[in-house]
Amino acid sequence: MMKNKRVILQDWGLTDYKVAWERQEQLFGETVKLKTEIRNRQSLVVAGDEPGDEILTPNYLVFCEHPHVYTLGKSGKAEHLLLDEAGLKEKNAVYYPINRGGDITYHGPGQLVCYPILDLDNFFTDIHLYLRTLEEAVILTLAHYGLTAGRYPGYTGVWFDGDNDKARKICAMGVRCSRWVTMHGLALNVNPDLNYFKNIVPCGIDDKAVTSMQRELGREVNLNDVEKILTQHISVLFGMEVA
């Protein structure tokens, strides 16, 4: 299969989580279906039939924000949500168990969410490298603002002081991958209301803090600027042609 490095950039703005999830599923499903068709055409080539023009799978890089929402990954525990239905209503938040990896996390205004819907056959077929590359893009983005971040051994995401007792998480990650097509992604805390994290055990880790760029810098940060810088680092690290 020929590789397609071209990536379609989309900004969905402030989008309800369920709506964004359904839109992801549609793009994801279309790509998986297309890969099946490509494999079938390739089998015709082996059989000696004429396949016609080469078909390339698409790639998408989606950015958005969500209204207040808590999402629970497949490996998470429901008790890590510390609110009942009345509490969710009081906080003007909703809750969804979803099909990504990881435990529970929060999304809300001021948080930059990135959903890469990529056919990794176009880049590299290594899910661990995929996660580490996304982390590296976030680390480089934070460095642009003078913030020194890194990793916390044994966990995904991006942290400050991951090697000592001051460890605090600034970017959560959770992905789904099928037939090397990805969905879901990362959530970078730029200017969110961090009080919402007090209503969960973030990512199932009950003894570490959560932080934001605003808290670390002592000022609000322009979300659109962060999106542009993060896009640039993702495109370079993956060798993408972003359009």
Side-chain angles (χ1 to χ4, degrees):
M1 186 177 75
M2 290 182 62
K3 293 189 176 184
N4 177 25
K5 299 285 189 177
R6 185 172 180 270
V7 178
I8 301 167
L9 180 65
Q10 297 185 357
D11 188 328
W12 294 350
L14 183 64
T15 305
D16 176 80
Y17 185 85
K18 191 171 187 296
V19 171
W21 186 11
E22 290 171 349
R23 291 175 72 179
Q24 281 192 80
E25 287 280 11
Q26 181 180 355
L27 296 174
F28 174 86
E30 289 172 352
T31 302
V32 170
K33 181 180 178 182
L34 182 58
K35 288 194 76 170
T36 301
E37 294 175 359
I38 292 172
R39 298 300 184 192
N40 290 339
R41 289 167 64 93
Q42 289 176 333
S43 67
L44 291 177
V45 174
V46 173
D49 291 338
E50 176 57 48
D53 295 332
E54 182 70 34
I55 299 174
L56 302 177
T57 51
N59 306 288
Y60 303 90
L61 192 61
V62 176
F63 287 94
C64 64
E65 291 178 82
H66 294 305
H68 302 299
V69 60
Y70 296 103
T71 67
L72 181 70
K74 293 185 296 182
S75 59
K77 298 180 180 179
E79 58 265 31
H80 288 165
L81 175 65
L82 308 179
L83 297 173
D84 57 15
E85 288 188 17
L88 285 168
K89 187 175 181 180
E90 180 183 349
K91 299 293 184 181
N92 194 29
V94 293
Y95 164 72
Y96 295 111
I98 62 173
N99 59 355
R100 61 162 170 79
D103 206 287
I104 196 164
T105 194
Y106 160 77
H107 301 304
Q111 183 188 72
L112 182 63
V113 178
C114 177
Y115 295 132
I117 305 172
L118 308 177
D119 180 0
L120 291 183
D121 271 317
N122 289 324
F123 302 98
F124 48 76
T125 51
D126 184 328
I127 195 63
H128 294 289
L129 178 59
Y130 173 68
L131 292 169
R132 302 295 83 79
T133 305
L134 289 179
E135 289 169 349
E136 188 65 21
V138 173
I139 290 169
L140 292 172
T141 298
L142 294 170
H144 178 89
Y145 289 87
L147 297 172
T148 303
R151 298 174 176 84
Y152 189 100
Y155 296 93
T156 59
V158 178
W159 299 70
F160 291 112
D161 293 320
D163 59 351
N164 60 60
D165 57 6
K166 295 180 180 179
R168 54 207 185 278
K169 193 171 192 177
I170 191 167
C171 179
M173 295 174 54
V175 303
R176 177 189 176 193
C177 184
S178 177
R179 297 202 64 179
W180 294 114
V181 179
T182 67
M183 64 177 289
H184 299 298
L186 65 88
L188 174 59
N189 295 332
V190 182
N191 310 304
D193 182 349
L194 293 176
N195 288 316
Y196 275 83
F197 285 97
K198 296 177 181 178
N199 304 314
I200 59 174
V201 180
C203 303
I205 307 171
D206 60 6
D207 62 345
K208 298 292 182 293
V210 177
T211 190
S212 67
M213 294 180 69
Q214 183 179 30
R215 172 169 288 182
E216 298 296 324
L217 292 169
R219 61 178 175 84
E220 191 169 321
V221 183
N222 185 290
L223 204 72
N224 290 331
D225 290 344
V226 178
E227 178 181 325
K228 291 176 183 176
I229 296 165
L230 180 56
T231 298
Q232 179 181 8
H233 286 303
I234 290 175
S235 65
V236 170
L237 291 172
F238 281 87
M240 296 174 173
E241 300 169 8
V242 178

